[in-house]
Amino acid sequence: MEKFVPLGNEALAQGALDAGMSGIYAYPGTPSTEIMEYVQRSKEAAARGIHRQWSANEKTALEAALGMSYAGKRAMVCMKHVGLNVAADPFMNAAITGANGGLIVTVADDPSMHSSQNEQDSRYYGRYAMVPILEPADQQEAYDLPKYAFELSEKHAIPVLVRLTTRLSHSRADIVRGEALPENALAIPANLRQFVLLPAVSRRNYAHLLEKQRDFEREAEQSFLTRYEDGPDKSLGIVACGIAYNYLMENYPDGCPHPVLKIGQYPVPTRLVAQLVEACESILVLEEGAPLVEEMLRGYPFDSGKVRGRLDGTLPRAGELNPNLVAKGLGRDVPEPGYTTPDILVGRPPQLCDGCPHGDTYRALNEALEAYSKGRVFSDIGCYTLGALPPYNAINSCVDMGASITMAKGATDAGLAPAVAVIGDSTFSHSGMTGLLDVVNANAPVKVVIVDNQTTAMTGGQDSPATGQIEQIAMGLGVPEEHVRVITPLPRQHEANVAVIREELGYEGVSVIIARRECIETAKRRRKSS
Amino acid sequence: MKYDIILAGVGGQGVLSIAAIIGMAAVDAGLRMKQSEVHGMSQRGGEVQSHLRIADRRIFSDLIPAGSADMLLSMEPLEALRYLPHLSPDGVIVAEQNPLVNIPNYPALEDVLVALRAYPQATLVDGQGIARALRATRSSNMVLLGAASAFLPLPAADFEAAISKIFGRKGGAVVAQNVEAFRQGRGLTTTAQAG
């Protein structure tokens, strides 16, 4: 068999294909993007006609996956951690409807915020919704996981949350593939009210969900992702969740002398935890992300001091783990690095590409805004967020998908007018349209600059859901046609662009200025392939 | 056997292509491998690194412990300096000597090169010059790979086979160019070692 050396994301994707998945739904977001991209490239997925188109956002993606589950087929939805905030409504309620066909909700967390605005830990969401959570430690587990997860989902009629973190998502390893399963046949739920969350149904379903918690915990205890590995030195017992297990074992290549509870499935298998706590003098909890298990073990206010981890400073409270941090946490001698960096070293932050259209837009916007006081440009999530850095210093906010438009509206409500919102075409279709409707209804003096590079650029150039439809969407939402302006962000258009932006800044209602030029990266790729 | 490599460069320089070739050569030779990559925001002209580990036994961590890498392979001289704390005291440095200046405060190049030459096992390579002479400017990373290959625990033929596989769909001429760039790079370090 051909050697298979996938990223963790690709291993999960191939595992889902081999587990009879009929559809995958996603909106791109680092570090989750490659799961969908792998399926889109897969010849096998094409031959089977698996649904594999990007969705407009994580909420629509999760709802569509739930619909496929309703119809009896196996579906997976993928997103980055903050995407689950967008999809939180269907996620929480899917725990109440339950699943019919197997339903996997895969969320890739980004501890240390390599490419994100926070490092929230999705396991809290799983706990909140009271659904099983699976957390693979390596690429082989990521591949093996979907078959198990779809079965678990169908056995208990419950969506299953799969939690990945950046290092597993974006690391390759050689793995072994297994047999492929056929897809499910179409089969609507036996109970046609299962998905009708009227209060009477919800209360019944919720009671059922509460009853199932004990089963979920037993499943976690017996899971192939969970393991109790005994060791002779009981002065310390170690709980290692997900990828933290690898960092632990890196420190003990010939076997860990301490008992280890490797946790790869939740709810936390409390019987195994009790076994470890009883056997050992103290407990060290290693988990990537937030101290979720550690908090549970500490049992405030009866904290005995027996448990160590991120909360007492044994490990850093924030950021991802690595072998050296774990070694320090274990109290092992960590050799100081032989070399240090010389003083002449300087940072090299990311920046807009040479010739990027966003640079031209920011130069024009900055010049048009010279007549106004500073601090009135709200922006959003995408490559253009780099406009916050020199030489542009052009934007004053970046919070969440779509927030540029609504924050600008709030600022104008407060009297900071005009205000500008800079948002990408893909982000606009993801979460900007409803905010624009609010602005239109208030006729607030918000100038929405849609930097339309006709792609989802930051994550590598995926299709943008509203390509070719931005003007119609803006006008359809009620922006007057004469205030929907299109400019071409090119150096030779600079004066004309400044003039258009100035004109609209002088208008007291809502304006949409579409700065349209294709991303130079996707343009390059298109030229190469044609 | 275990060999840990930190690959460094700037987004867009082909760090991941080199990693893919070494990784493929290792897996085809029956070794285990793990390779962590950087995707996302840093790829926009920022600092990019990859941790590549090959071994004849199970590899646990996707990240190389600080102070223990056997090699630091950098497409750019300043980026080589950035990852020095990852390098083992016995580790080797193979770095491109031509800078990629996309920041206003890039230090004086001579200072960067002097700092690199101060390390006992540092090889600076004019990968861009060699690639230009071969009329294959995009192959400078293959020159670097060639220079690094003399230190890696795999024979040259394995790397050339991996280059052929990875560039194969771009045609025989592209393969030949990249193999030649690899060989010239390898010549730099094999002669130096022999001498």
Side-chain angles (χ1 to χ4, degrees), chain A residues 245-366:
Chain A
Y245 177 78
N246 299 349
Y247 300 141
L248 171 67
M249 298 313 290
E250 181 71 22
N251 279 283
Y252 298 109
D254 302 316
C256 181
H258 306 289
V260 177
L261 173 57
K262 173 191 180 296
I263 295 182
Q265 185 169 334
Y266 310 77
V268 170
T270 49
R271 197 187 63 83
L272 297 178
V273 172
Q275 186 185 337
L276 187 77
V277 170
E278 275 161 33
C280 301
E281 287 165 36
S282 65
I283 300 293
L284 176 65
V285 185
L286 304 174
E287 49 195 327
E288 188 80 312
L292 177 141
V293 174
E294 186 185 343
E295 269 178 348
M296 292 172 71
L297 261 58
R298 282 178 183 274
Y300 177 85
F302 307 108
D303 191 341
S304 64
K306 187 170 177 173
V307 176
R308 291 184 289 124
R310 287 186 183 269
L311 291 171
D312 65 345
T314 301
L315 295 161
R317 175 63 184 82
E320 57 180 350
L321 297 174
N322 62 43
N324 299 73
L325 289 173
V326 169
K328 277 185 203 151
L330 288 162
R332 287 163 68 86
D333 285 337
V334 184
E336 288 301 311
Y339 301 123
T340 51
T341 52
D343 295 338
I344 56 168
L345 183 65
V346 292
R348 193 188 306 252
Q351 50 188 285
L352 295 176
C353 307
D354 275 342
C356 171
H358 299 330
D360 294 310
T361 301
Y362 280 132
R363 276 184 284 271
L365 179 64
N366 281 350

